[in-house]
Amino acid sequence: MSDETAALRRQFPLLAQAGGTLHYLDNAATGQIHEAALDAMVQHERYARGNVLRAGHRLAQTATLAYQRARGQVAQFLNAAHPDEIVFTSGATAALNLVAQAYADLCKPGDEIVVSVAEHHSNLIPWQQLRDRAGVGLRFVPLGAGARLDLSGLRALVGRRCRLIALTHASNVTGAVTDVGPVVEQARAVGAHVLLDGAQRAPHGPVDVRALGVDFYVFSGHKCYGPGGVGVLWGRGEFLDAMPPSATGGGMVERVTLERADYAAPPRRFEAGTPPVAQAVGLGEALAWMSRQDWPRIERRLAGLTARLIEGLLAVPRLHLAGPLDARDRVPVVSFWLEGLHSHDVCQVLDGLGVALRGGHHCAQPLMQALGTDAVSRASLALYNGDDDVDALLAGVREAVRILA
Ligand code: PMP
């Protein structure tokens, strides 16, 4: 392990405590929490705990300032035009549902939504529900070479009735990063909006939503070295303004009578009830820490590790890789399956050797079908992973084959 990797691991309490006994390669499911996020949450709960955006007493004001500061940190991470474009949710799933429910009101029967066959269920089922409730058509971007999205038929797929294209920014199974440029171009040509599910891209460095040219972006805190129970919806100000709330209740209104409620402006309109304040504070610190890292350097290191991991896996007989073989435009997520062996058994053998990775369909069953398997084992790397982790994984896979085959 390099000095750089060792120094990083010391900043993640669970990894620091585990020493060399844990090879954590399930970062696409949940990353480890950074000490800055954990400390900020503990500090907040000990010294600044109060409800936000409601009371005028000092503690409530301190809590409100901390909460709004976190909103600003998220806005910086995404290069959003204004902190008010940031809505805190309980996670990427909740953020996607929020947008889908708003579109149920904004769409007319016969309108269309475009998603892809590679989506996580969280960016598929809400749109299926919208189809069933609002009579909206669903169309799918297919898989192409190297299990990347095939965008060549976009013009035929995205027609005049398309209201929204909702795609994964990076696949949680193949690691492929979506080429967003042509998607935005085609959306603009027909007046549709673009949503990116950034759950797997955000953990790999700051995102520039304005440079991407998209309209909505979602991600989860627990995959970005922050706490669980909090996530983000970013939306262009004018679009959030036009959206109805999906959840209603306290904190999201200006005036209420027995007959009606006047909703507050975004982001409060979408944050009914007491929000996850300490979690937002922790996430803000995690993202601020991420924003200070040298990402080009980290990317080069992780691309090297990913290339070595792929090369090592390809040397294992009867192993199939699910995704692009090259290190171009991909995040360090590598899925594979072994003929005749179930991924759960493979992962269990690896767990016994201290290597944590996940097996199964990864909440992407249509993608599994398109790949021709029902389950894969997935190794997902984060910035604290090193050569030792890749070596342990490759040795573990060879051992699994020896035991199970
Ligand atoms: N989208 C993608 C691509 C994901 O990988 C995940 C998490 N596995 C989600 C959405 C949902 O995230 P969460 O469970 O944190 O809401």
Side-chain angles (χ1 to χ4, degrees):
M1 188 200 325
S2 69
D3 289 351
E4 193 177 329
T5 312
L8 277 166
R9 265 179 224 180
R10 280 196 294 276
Q11 299 174 49
F12 290 82
L14 190 142
L15 298 176
Q17 190 188 330
T21 60
L22 173 65
H23 298 287
Y24 188 74
L25 293 170
D26 196 16
N27 296 287
T30 287
Q32 292 305 328
I33 192 166
H34 189 268
E35 63 186 359
L38 200 54
D39 290 351
M41 288 168 72
V42 171
Q43 286 289 107
H44 180 82
E45 295 290 37
R46 272 180 187 268
Y47 304 111
R49 185 177 162 95
N51 211 316
V52 292
L53 303 163
R54 286 160 169 75
H57 61 81
R58 264 174 294 169
L59 205 47
Q61 280 183 6
T62 311
T64 299
L65 277 178
Y67 185 60
Q68 298 295 46
R69 180 169 182 264
R71 213 189 285 286
Q73 288 166 319
V74 178
Q76 259 188 2
F77 180 80
L78 292 177
N79 193 27
H82 196 280
D84 283 348
E85 294 185 336
I86 304 300
V87 178
F88 283 116
T89 66
S90 64
T93 302
L96 289 162
N97 276 275
L98 192 163
V99 179
Q101 286 186 33
Y103 269 73
D105 281 0
L106 299 176
C107 286
K108 292 193 255 331
D111 283 349
E112 289 175 350
I113 305 278
V114 172
V115 297
S116 85
V117 299
E119 299 310 312
H120 186 280
H121 295 164
S122 293
N123 193 32
L124 173 62
I125 304 172
W127 308 113
Q128 292 176 342
Q129 262 196 334
L130 172 64
R131 176 198 60 199
D132 299 344
R133 285 182 186 161
V136 165
L138 263 192
R139 309 192 72 183
F140 299 96
V141 176
L143 276 196
R148 292 181 184 278
L149 293 189
D150 176 4
L151 300 174
S152 62
L154 214 52
R155 201 173 262 219
L157 207 58
V158 179
R160 295 263 149 227
R161 297 298 307 264
C162 180
R163 299 298 305 271
L164 181 75
I165 308 176
L167 297 178
T168 188
H169 194 184
S171 163
N172 66 317
V173 174
T174 66
V177 174
T178 301
D179 185 6
V180 181
V183 177
V184 170
E185 197 176 309
Q186 184 57 24
R188 294 290 171 260
V190 299
H193 301 150
V194 178
L195 176 151
L196 287 183
D197 172 358
Q200 296 298 337
R201 168 57 187 82
H204 301 290
V207 175
D208 188 337
V209 288
R210 282 190 279 174
L212 284 169
V214 298
D215 305 300
F216 298 101
Y217 200 90
V218 308
F219 67 96
S220 288
H222 66 100
K223 297 183 202 282
C224 291
Y225 318 114
V230 67
V232 168
L233 162 66
W234 166 80
R236 274 183 201 276
E238 67 265 32
F239 296 160
L240 288 184
D241 265 340
M243 276 169 45
S246 54
T248 53
M252 48 77 70
V253 283
E254 292 299 349
R255 197 179 118 79
V256 182
T257 65
L258 285 181
E259 278 72 40
R260 55 168 290 127
D262 295 331
Y263 303 137
R268 284 176 59 198
R269 184 188 302 160
F270 304 107
E271 295 181 351
T274 299
V277 182
Q279 289 90 331
V281 167
L283 175 58
E285 285 306 315
L287 298 183
W289 175 79
M290 280 181 76
S291 297
R292 292 194 296 273
Q293 304 310 301
D294 181 351
W295 285 98
R297 184 185 168 91
I298 292 168
E299 259 168 38
R300 274 197 302 279
R301 191 165 56 73
L302 286 180
L305 278 182
T306 306
R308 203 159 79 70
L309 174 55
I310 290 176
E311 196 187 318
L313 286 173
L314 286 176
V316 178
R318 289 188 295 282
L319 184 145
H320 299 264
L321 267 180
L325 297 186
D326 53 87
R328 183 180 51 93
D329 298 335
R330 57 148 37 256
V331 292
V333 172
V334 180
S335 296
F336 60 93
W337 73 95
L338 286 148
E339 279 172 31
L341 303 188
H342 198 281
S343 67
H344 286 151
D345 296 330
V346 173
C347 291
Q348 203 171 348
V349 172
L350 282 155
D351 187 44
L353 300 168
V355 184
L357 72 166
R358 176 172 160 202
H361 57 62
H362 302 275
C363 303
Q365 287 185 20
L367 175 56
M368 292 296 123
Q369 276 159 24
L371 291 169
T373 181
D374 52 7
V376 294
S377 304
R378 179 184 69 186
S380 48
L381 280 63
L383 76 183
Y384 40 62
N385 287 119
D387 280 315
D388 59 325
D389 298 316
V390 170
D391 290 341
L393 172 67
L394 292 174
V397 170
R398 286 191 291 270
E399 180 65 359
V401 172
R402 193 186 66 76
I403 295 172
L404 300 169

